[in-house]
């Protein structure tokens, strides 16, 4: 075998193809005429055979018992409460931002309750009366937005109102999920997610 | 929850993991039984010290089994176990800075010529005499040749040609691009061919 790997000889992929008996006819022909490549495939095959014959080793007899002594059967792994490995400034800023935005919208709507009710006419009265906290929060959050006046006319129809309400709830849910993700420590190398 | 160990042997990994999630101790033991040898062998060949390999393998199983509730069945259980085992071994090697002084040239050598030219120097690196005595079990020609590979190449070639994993599985396990895995494995084979040839010529 030469110390270089000239072009037109077998490539690494050709070697794999050779071992799985899928070498192209062109390269098979080359192999018949090239001493270097023949030596290469013979040596490579020997390497693979030696690797394939490499024994497997057993740990000591108490191996499984020692593991089981430290495994909690049927219980989720404890999440270390104080382990927040990536408390970066950006992470904290994002958390504070999301939380402050949500809190501000709730506070504003609490202070301006009467104004809000005057905005939302009769068609929304039934929905108010359901008392569903999420729904109310959704509407008040919506009303807190600067663009609310502009689209208020849309709210006249219950269908539109429903759609907008759903959107608002989705926004709140996204905010909550974002907060949850920011607050939860990463599972590190244990998780097989995306493994 | 009690499951007959005999009946577990015919089940797939996913089925055994499902039983483990339900709290079957036998299922946990079955998972250990299935993977203790391959995991221990991989780690032993990586760190070349039996006691240390046993500790690292043990930690691997403890991590995996304590997190079994979070296991997502769309991934192979074996890939998950090998991934954690390999990480443990590589982390250890990095910490000890063993084998990381690479004499065989840049891992970014990307032409076959460069790879082969730089790979010729690997004979300069080897185990200390103490390690040589400690690791008599790993004293065969191929084991010694494997020990001379850089750790990244070593885990790739062991997973591919000793454990029989596919390139794709290895890429997933080691979080490496498929092309990188192929390159590492072919460079490792290239180095092993040279070492084998040199041994025969001696
Ligand atoms: Zn050739």
């Amino acid at each position: 075998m030469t110390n270089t790997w000239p072009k037109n000889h077998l490539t690494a992929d050709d070697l794999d193809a050779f071992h799985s008996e899928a070498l192209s006819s062109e390269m098979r022909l080359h192999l018949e005429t090239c001493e270097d490549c023949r030596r290469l495939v013979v040596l490579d095959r020997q390497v693979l055979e030696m690797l394939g014959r490499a024994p497997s080793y057993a740990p000591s007899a108490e191996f499984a018992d020692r593991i089981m002594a430290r495994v909690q059967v049927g219980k989720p792994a404890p999440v270390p409460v104080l382990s927040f490995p990536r408390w970066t400034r950006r992470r904290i800023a994002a958390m504070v931002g999301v939380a402050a935005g949500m809190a501000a919208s709730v506070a504003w709507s609490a202070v301006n309750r009467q104004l809000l009710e005057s905005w939302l006419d009769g068609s929304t009265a039934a929905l108010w009366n359901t008392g569903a906290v999420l729904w109310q929060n959704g509407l008040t959050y919506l009303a807190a937005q600067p663009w609310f006046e502009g689209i208020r006319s849309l709210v006249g129809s219950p269908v539109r109102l429903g759609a907008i309400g759903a959107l608002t709830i989705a926004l709140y849910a996204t905010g909550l999920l974002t907060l949850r993700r920011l607050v939860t420590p990463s599972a590190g190398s244990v998780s097989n997610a995306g493994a | 929850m009690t499951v007959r160990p005999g009946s577990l042997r015919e089940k797939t990994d996913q089925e055994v993991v499902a039983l483990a999630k339900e709290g079957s101790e036998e299922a946990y033991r079955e998972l250990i039984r299935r993977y203790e040898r391959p995991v221990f062998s991989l780690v032993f060949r990586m760190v070349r010290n039996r006691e240390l390999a046993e500790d690292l393998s043990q930690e691997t199983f403890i991590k995996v089994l304590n997190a079994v509730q979070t296991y997502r069945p769309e991934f192979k259980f074996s890939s998950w176990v090998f991934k954690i085992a390999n990480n443990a071994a590589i982390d250890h090697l990095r910490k000890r800075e063993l084998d990381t002084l690479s004499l065989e040239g840049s891992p970014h050598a990307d032409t076959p010529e460069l790879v082969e030219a730089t790979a010729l120097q690997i004979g300069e690196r080897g185990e200390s005499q103490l390690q040589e005595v400690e690791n008599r079990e790993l004293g065969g020609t191929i084991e010694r040749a494997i020990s001379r590979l850089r750790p990244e190449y070593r885990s790739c070639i062991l997973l591919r040609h000793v454990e029989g994993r596919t390139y794709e599985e290895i890429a997933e396990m080691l979080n490496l691009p498929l092309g990188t895995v192929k390159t590492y494995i072919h460079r490792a084979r290239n180095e092993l061919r040279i070492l084998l040839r040199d041994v025969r010529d001696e």
Side-chain angles (χ1 to χ4, degrees):
Chain A
M1 200 167 77
T2 56
N3 281 341
T4 55
W5 196 332
K7 290 178 179 65
N8 304 322
H9 287 301
L10 263 64
T11 63
D13 285 339
D14 290 330
L15 268 181
D16 282 345
F18 174 82
H19 296 306
S20 55
E21 294 178 358
L23 191 61
S24 69
S25 50
E26 188 194 340
M27 293 320 289
R28 272 205 305 271
L29 203 66
H30 173 84
L31 202 53
E32 281 172 22
T33 58
C34 179
E35 184 70 18
D36 280 351
C37 283
R38 272 209 301 279
R39 270 201 292 267
L40 175 71
V41 296
V42 167
L43 207 51
D44 198 55
R45 176 173 277 168
Q46 286 170 348
V47 165
L48 297 195
E49 282 169 359
M50 288 179 93
L51 288 168
R53 282 200 305 269
S56 87
Y57 297 99
S60 62
E62 317 80 57
F63 187 70
D65 289 333
R66 281 206 305 267
I67 292 166
M68 289 309 290
R70 288 177 55 198
V71 167
Q72 290 193 292
V73 174
K75 281 185 197 152
V79 176
V81 178
L82 292 173
S83 160
F84 294 92
R86 284 185 293 162
W87 273 127
T88 58
R89 269 187 212 170
R90 196 182 293 176
R91 197 184 174 92
I92 293 168
M95 273 174 60
V96 171
V98 173
M102 291 170 77
S105 78
V106 172
W108 185 91
S109 56
V111 173
N112 298 284
R113 177 75 186 258
Q114 284 189 331
L115 175 64
L116 270 175
E117 280 173 353
S118 74
W119 282 355
L120 299 161
D121 60 18
S123 71
T124 63
L127 293 167
W128 275 128
N129 291 339
T130 63
V133 174
L134 265 181
W135 184 248
Q136 194 169 345
N137 278 349
L139 291 175
T140 53
Y141 174 75
L142 183 69
Q145 305 310 307
W147 38 259
F148 180 79
E149 268 302 314
I151 60 157
R152 193 174 75 87
S153 55
L154 288 174
V155 177
S157 142
V159 176
R160 286 180 192 152
L161 180 64
I164 292 165
L167 181 73
T168 311
I169 289 168
L171 275 172
Y172 252 85
T174 309
L176 286 173
L177 280 175
T178 309
L179 270 181
R180 187 169 167 265
R181 279 188 69 138
L182 286 165
V183 172
T184 307
S186 64
S189 61
V190 176
S191 167
N192 72 333
Chain B
M1 177 173 179
T2 316
V3 182
R4 255 185 332 114
S7 71
L8 280 171
R9 302 226 170 168
E10 293 110 52
K11 293 194 188 300
T12 63
D13 281 359
Q14 308 293 43
E15 289 167 335
V16 179
V17 170
L19 288 168
K21 282 186 175 186
E22 288 169 25
S24 158
E25 187 179 327
E26 288 82 358
Y28 279 73
R29 286 188 179 271
E30 173 64 14
L31 292 170
I32 299 172
R33 191 195 64 77
R34 285 184 190 191
Y35 289 104
E36 61 181 354
R37 285 186 80 111
V39 163
F40 176 73
S41 300
L42 174 77
V43 178
F44 189 19
R45 287 191 168 99
M46 292 295 289
V47 302
R48 295 184 68 75
N49 175 302
R50 176 170 262 284
E51 209 173 308
L52 179 62
E54 191 145 333
D55 284 349
L56 293 172
S57 306
Q58 197 177 304
E59 293 307 318
T60 296
F61 279 102
I62 290 166
K63 260 189 189 175
V64 166
L65 296 178
N66 273 332
V68 83
Q69 300 290 348
T70 66
Y71 170 70
R72 287 165 52 181
E74 60 265 39
F75 301 104
K76 270 190 159 183
F77 181 78
S78 57
S79 297
W80 187 31
V81 178
F82 279 123
K83 176 186 182 150
I84 299 209
N86 183 67
N87 283 349
I90 293 275
D91 283 352
H92 173 82
L93 291 176
R94 284 203 185 123
K95 265 183 212 145
R96 292 223 342 225
E97 291 182 340
L98 266 185
D99 292 333
T100 47
L101 287 173
S102 69
L103 294 170
E104 75 268 42
S106 165
H108 306 294
D110 45 15
T111 65
E113 291 83 355
L114 197 53
V115 172
E116 185 145 13
T118 53
L120 287 171
Q121 303 167 37
I122 55 177
E124 293 168 31
R125 190 161 42 114
E127 298 169 353
S128 69
Q129 275 191 326
L130 180 64
Q131 279 176 294
E132 205 68 74
V133 174
E134 274 178 355
N135 305 318
R136 214 162 273 150
E137 256 181 304
L138 296 175
T141 306
I142 193 70
E143 301 285 9
R144 284 148 67 98
I146 292 169
S147 77
R148 295 183 175 211
L149 299 172
R150 65 166 75 227
E152 292 83 357
Y153 292 7
R154 213 184 300 167
S155 37
C156 284
I157 197 128
L158 289 171
L159 288 166
R160 176 75 191 95
H161 294 299
V162 178
E163 299 306 329
R165 304 285 143 178
T166 64
Y167 289 129
E168 288 78 9
E169 281 177 274
I170 299 168
E172 192 182 282
M173 278 181 230
L174 306 185
N175 280 335
L176 290 171
L178 186 60
T180 305
V181 169
K182 284 189 178 179
T183 305
Y184 281 5
I185 288 171
H186 281 285
R187 284 181 193 172
R189 262 154 67 179
N190 190 43
E191 292 182 13
L192 293 178
R193 287 196 300 268
I194 293 166
L195 287 166
L196 192 63
R197 189 193 55 192
D198 290 350
V199 167
R200 290 192 178 165
D201 290 349
E202 269 167 17

